Amino acid sequence: MRSPLERLRETVGRELAWKRHQARWKRLVAEHPLRYLFFEVTRRCNLACAYCGSDCGPKGRAEELSSAEWIEIARQIATDFEPKKVMVAVTGGEPLLKDGVFELFAELKRLGFAYGMVSNGWLLDAEAARRLVECGMGSLSLSMDAPGELNDELRGRGSSEKVTAAIGHLRSAGYQGKLEIISTLTRPAVAQLDEMRRWIAAQRISLWRVAPVMPIGRAARRPELTPGPEEVRQMLEFVLNARQDRLKPAPEFCEEGFLGNRFEGRVRPYLSQCRAGVTTGGILCDGRIGACPELGEAFAQGDIRKERFKEVWETRYQALRDRHWAHSGDCARCNQFARCGGGSLHLYEQPGAPLLRCLYLMAKQAGEAPSK
């Protein structure tokens, strides 16, 4: 048991950490340096995951930008910003279904961007792995949510085997970049976190990011998949303990919302923040300019087919950078709002709308244990 002096030191240390964090955040909002940029190259996907928030499917959208247009956008961004300071995340749908995507990858590399991709692994065969290495991809996130059978039930039969095969193809091709597993946690997957961790460890992958599924898109029609307070508390405690036992993989919790003193700065290597519109921008598959792809349409700021991204970045995004509108309802009555700021923007349908959920309150409702 810790002494009163040790507890006092911890309390003072955390208060100082929050003050430094809030001062840094204020500077970031004022300067809004672009550091991370999503390219949602398609909504087309060869899977139809049970919980998909974007309702991705086999057809995509008729008005999607072509790969040639994406290459011109990349060149525009490289002209207006410093490529070496901007990480480009290529997402979907499934990016490898996009015609010409390897040409886009090669151009991103030529322009000097660090870039990566999120993939379900189905199309990542030996040839695709070879081409990714050839194109200099530096970061690759493979989606797998649970051990074999449950993952296949959620994502499609054969999905687990495809991810395993993709890992092997990447290693055979000599891939040296960042490789991580991303797990979107449904209610049944929470009970299998230990088994999932053992599977990832067996694949010799040290990076694992976890996030509770959002009750939007298909998940909104499947309430049995959405974690409740007990499951949220369980996953947070799992991540907290797993990050302290020095074994790999050490999971990292997603960016969503303020989590309370027990978990902040412990289940992820930073304090609560939502960087959408502050350091993170995005371009959706149909050309709309926004921030991260999880934000609703109401957060779109412009159209890349009609406007230059830099001009939109410098002159708009007001509702994403000044979030006083979130200080209402339950948030206005919460004594943690100064640290939380209203949570992640993907929790709102639009500015001023009710908060979709609060993980901090859910953990408290489940009986959050006192800080150690």
Side-chain angles (χ1 to χ4, degrees):
M1 182 177 294
R2 294 172 306 155
S3 69
L5 181 58
E6 288 174 324
R7 290 196 295 270
L8 177 61
R9 285 174 176 168
E10 180 184 10
T11 299
V12 172
R14 291 182 71 81
E15 288 298 320
L16 289 174
W18 274 108
K19 287 183 178 180
R20 289 193 296 268
H21 169 72
Q22 290 168 321
R24 176 178 173 271
W25 183 251
K26 187 176 180 179
R27 290 194 302 271
L28 282 176
V29 171
E31 298 170 4
H32 48 268
L34 182 66
R35 293 291 178 260
Y36 204 90
L37 183 62
F38 285 98
F39 279 9
E40 184 198 58
V41 295
T42 185
R43 287 283 179 91
R44 188 181 170 206
C45 189
N46 52 320
L47 300 181
C49 299
Y51 57 77
C52 181
S54 299
D55 278 326
C56 293
K59 294 184 178 180
R61 291 191 174 184
E63 68 276 20
E64 289 185 357
L65 297 164
S66 68
S67 286
E69 288 177 299
W70 281 110
I71 288 172
E72 288 304 314
I73 291 167
R75 290 170 179 168
Q76 178 196 126
I77 303 295
T79 298
D80 293 343
F81 296 87
E82 295 184 62
K84 66 180 181 180
K85 293 184 177 181
V86 181
M87 171 70 187
V88 176
V90 181
T91 68
E94 172 51 50
L96 292 179
L97 283 170
K98 186 70 173 179
D99 290 338
V101 75
F102 286 101
E103 286 73 17
L104 171 61
F105 293 156
E107 185 65 6
L108 287 169
K109 178 65 174 178
R110 187 191 72 80
L111 292 168
F113 289 103
Y115 77 98
M117 173 180 68
V118 181
S119 173
N120 60 37
W122 274 78
L123 302 177
L124 219 167
D125 57 15
E127 175 61 15
R130 183 192 66 78
R131 295 187 70 182
L132 290 178
V133 171
E134 189 178 82
C135 293
M137 179 168 285
S139 177
L140 183 54
S141 302
L142 295 173
S143 299
M144 184 165 171
D145 304 328
E149 186 175 340
L150 178 56
N151 186 67
D152 285 5
E153 181 182 325
L154 294 166
R155 301 181 60 81
R157 184 60 54 188
S159 293
S160 300
E161 183 179 344
K162 290 293 186 180
V163 170
T164 305
I167 294 169
H169 292 315
L170 288 165
R171 294 214 166 103
S172 296
Y175 178 73
Q176 297 294 317
K178 175 183 174 183
L179 181 60
E180 71 171 352
I181 298 294
I182 295 181
S183 298
T184 301
L185 300 180
T186 56
R187 187 187 294 255
V190 175
Q192 299 188 25
L193 284 169
D194 282 315
E195 184 180 348
M196 184 63 184
R197 191 187 190 196
R198 289 193 293 271
W199 181 88
I200 298 173
Q203 306 306 310
R204 293 178 290 116
I205 293 176
S206 60
L207 301 174
W208 182 25
R209 191 149 38 105
V210 302
V213 68
M214 292 287 295
I216 59 176
R218 293 192 189 109
R221 303 188 287 273
R222 297 283 304 275
E224 76 278 9
L225 296 179
T226 305
E230 292 296 333
E231 290 81 21
V232 167
R233 164 73 183 279
Q234 186 178 342
M235 70 177 71
L236 287 169
E237 292 288 354
F238 170 83
V239 174
L240 177 65
N241 292 328
R243 289 179 68 84
Q244 294 176 341
D245 64 17
R246 298 188 179 182
L247 301 177
K248 292 184 177 181
E252 179 179 319
F253 198 74
C254 67
E255 295 184 0
E256 182 180 327
F258 176 77
L259 303 173
N261 286 335
R262 178 168 175 76
F263 303 112
E264 279 297 337
R266 293 170 175 165
V267 297
R268 52 197 178 199
Y270 52 83
L271 295 173
S272 176
Q273 55 187 279
C274 172
R275 290 167 283 188
V278 177
T279 62
T280 300
I283 301 170
L284 301 182
C285 65
D286 58 5
R288 284 176 297 150
I289 298 171
C292 81
E294 292 186 340
L295 299 191
E297 294 184 2
F299 288 96
Q301 302 295 306
D303 187 338
I304 197 66
R305 286 186 167 122
K306 302 174 183 177
E307 304 167 277
R308 203 166 183 90
F309 178 83
K310 181 176 176 61
E311 180 182 348
V312 175
W313 182 255
E314 293 297 341
T315 62
R316 298 180 207 169
Y317 289 90
Q318 288 88 351
L320 287 78
R321 295 170 185 165
D322 182 355
R323 303 177 186 178
H324 284 93
W325 51 264
H327 193 246
S328 61
D330 290 340
C331 289
R333 294 184 287 273
C334 180
N335 62 5
Q336 297 294 334
F337 184 83
R339 294 179 175 180
C340 173
S344 300
L345 292 180
H346 68 255
L347 298 169
Y348 299 89
E349 183 178 348
Q350 60 186 14
L355 185 69
L356 187 59
R357 71 177 174 198
C358 175
L359 297 182
Y360 166 63
L361 292 180
M362 293 176 77
K364 285 189 66 175
Q365 182 180 342
E368 181 184 358
S371 298
K372 292 182 179 178

